[in-house]
Amino acid sequence: MHISTTTPASLHRFLRFHYRGGPPGPVVRVLAAKDGGHTMGVLAVSMPTLNAPGRAALPLPIGSATERARWLNANLRTISRIIVDPRDRGRGVGAALIRAYLADALTPHTEAFAAMGHLCPLFVAAGMIPIEAPPQPRDQRLMRALIERRIGPEHLIDSRFAQAIARSTP
């Protein structure tokens, strides 16, 4: 396997394999893992989202919002997509792409938000350190409402039950 910088067009060819719709933005580097002429996977690196949910967990410089934005843009990049061809999954392609980027990172700090990180610890396997972000206020409100109504997660699987709850909630 050979990993090198590639064009955003390579990323766009892989987007259909990713669970999140659409491209990330704004992409500043794309890496591709290839075996001969076959592209096995891609990794996209983007500028950081300034108001991302995990920001509270980072020790950002104290100052104005403008100063913090400048610091983030100068010191942080986000691994915004890691997509491996389904035929090549389970072969270490994703972890190899992450390690390759971290070995030649654009900034001193790199982050990746893993919506399913607890199920697939890819970033940890590649050497990144997990940081637990506190739950978002909207998620806390939902949890409180479910607890108050004694609604367990097993009930949310039934779409008719979930819709009835949604209609009855003020």
Side-chain angles (χ1 to χ4, degrees), residues 89-150:
R89 291 182 182 163
R91 298 177 57 195
V93 176
L97 281 162
I98 295 167
R99 283 192 295 273
Y101 174 73
L102 294 175
D104 186 32
L106 296 171
T107 54
H109 306 283
T110 301
E111 69 181 358
F113 293 99
M116 298 188 300
H118 60 288
L119 298 174
C120 180
L122 171 65
F123 294 102
V124 173
M128 296 184 79
I129 300 166
I131 296 175
E132 288 294 325
Q136 292 294 294
R138 67 178 182 207
D139 296 336
Q140 290 174 337
R141 287 191 302 274
L142 174 61
M143 291 305 298
R144 277 194 305 274
L146 292 172
I147 290 167
E148 287 170 6
R149 290 168 178 81
R150 292 183 172 83

Side-chain angles (χ1 to χ4, degrees), residues 73-86:
N73 284 327
N75 293 285
L76 181 68
R77 291 296 172 272
T78 302
I79 296 175
S80 52
R81 292 288 188 279
I82 178 110
I83 311 169
V84 177
D85 186 312

Side-chain angles (χ1 to χ4, degrees), residues 1-6 30-35 40-43 92-101:
M1 174 178 10
H2 174 73
I3 297 175
S4 61
T5 302
T6 189
V30 179
L31 297 181
K34 295 186 177 190
D35 182 13
M40 301 166 72
V42 294
L43 176 142
V93 176
L97 281 162
I98 295 167
R99 283 192 295 273
Y101 174 73

